[in-house]
Amino acid sequence: MPANFQPQPQSNQSQRRHSRPRYYTLIALGLVFSLPVALAWLTLQLGWFTAGVNNHGQWVTGQVAADTQWRLIVPQGAHCVPCSQAEPLLAPVLLALGRDGQRVRLLFTPATSELSTGFVYIADPPGSLVMRYPLSDSPSPEPLLQGQPPQAPIMTKALLKDLRRLLTYSRAG
């Protein structure tokens, strides 16, 4: 370089040009990271998202006595026709579980405030009620007096699917 070379000071305009991309880059990064969060919040608030459900029964809460096995609990009532038909409906479910059928037992108990008649409850070994299934989908008692509940095969298939899933992922019992 020549001895008399002196660098030229940069003009204000060129300094501004170099500072803008840094500022825009910071804004762009902020948008990239905050936009998905804002869109997810908006989707949930406006009800555009419906969660997928894998279970077929109704989730319940409650406690029963602890046991060493999973239990299918059928509460018994005085005039409960579906309750009297529960044993022949649920015996094939236990048989269809195969070797996992040893981890589950069928239990008939009197109805309580937590256990309503007309349902089959699944209880885990620590004693928590997990799910329940109606023994009949019929709102009127006339079909029940004539014989088997109309939706019994559908209920047992749903119960079997959920029970298999629970037994697969559970270490208890």
Side-chain angles (χ1 to χ4, degrees):
M1 279 197 210
N4 62 358
F5 178 76
Q6 293 182 353
Q8 294 288 332
Q10 291 183 349
S11 67
N12 286 342
Q13 187 179 16
S14 66
Q15 285 179 352
R16 277 191 232 140
R17 187 174 25 165
H18 290 298
S19 65
R20 280 188 185 157
R22 291 181 190 154
Y23 183 67
Y24 287 140
T25 304
L26 186 62
I27 290 175
L29 279 173
L31 285 175
V32 163
F33 288 108
S34 64
L35 189 63
V37 174
L39 286 176
W41 179 82
L42 186 67
T43 300
L44 290 174
Q45 291 299 319
L46 295 178
W48 295 340
F49 176 74
T50 55
V53 177
N54 290 331
N55 64 309
H56 302 286
Q58 179 184 3
W59 290 102
V60 293
T61 57
Q63 287 291 113
V64 293
D67 197 353
T68 59
Q69 292 181 311
W70 286 81
R71 285 153 293 165
L72 294 177
I73 301 174
V74 181
Q76 296 288 322
H79 302 288
C80 182
V81 175
C83 300
S84 63
Q85 299 172 349
E87 189 169 9
L89 287 175
L90 296 175
V93 171
L94 296 176
L95 185 63
L97 287 172
R99 64 185 170 128
D100 282 335
Q102 297 171 354
R103 297 173 60 190
V104 181
R105 70 182 179 111
L106 186 58
L107 181 66
F108 291 93
T109 63
T112 64
S113 61
E114 289 184 347
L115 301 172
S116 303
T117 59
F119 291 97
V120 177
Y121 291 86
I122 298 177
D124 63 0
S128 298
L129 293 175
V130 180
M131 301 178 96
R132 77 176 185 177
Y133 301 84
L135 285 171
S136 171
D137 287 343
S138 176
S140 64
E142 290 85 20
L144 299 178
L145 295 175
Q146 296 171 359
Q148 189 162 338
Q151 298 296 321
I154 295 171
M155 183 274 303
T156 55
K157 286 180 183 179
L159 174 67
L160 181 62
K161 284 181 183 178
D162 287 344
L163 195 54
R164 277 186 179 153
R165 188 174 296 122
L166 285 169
L167 292 173
T168 300
Y169 295 116
S170 170
R171 294 182 185 167

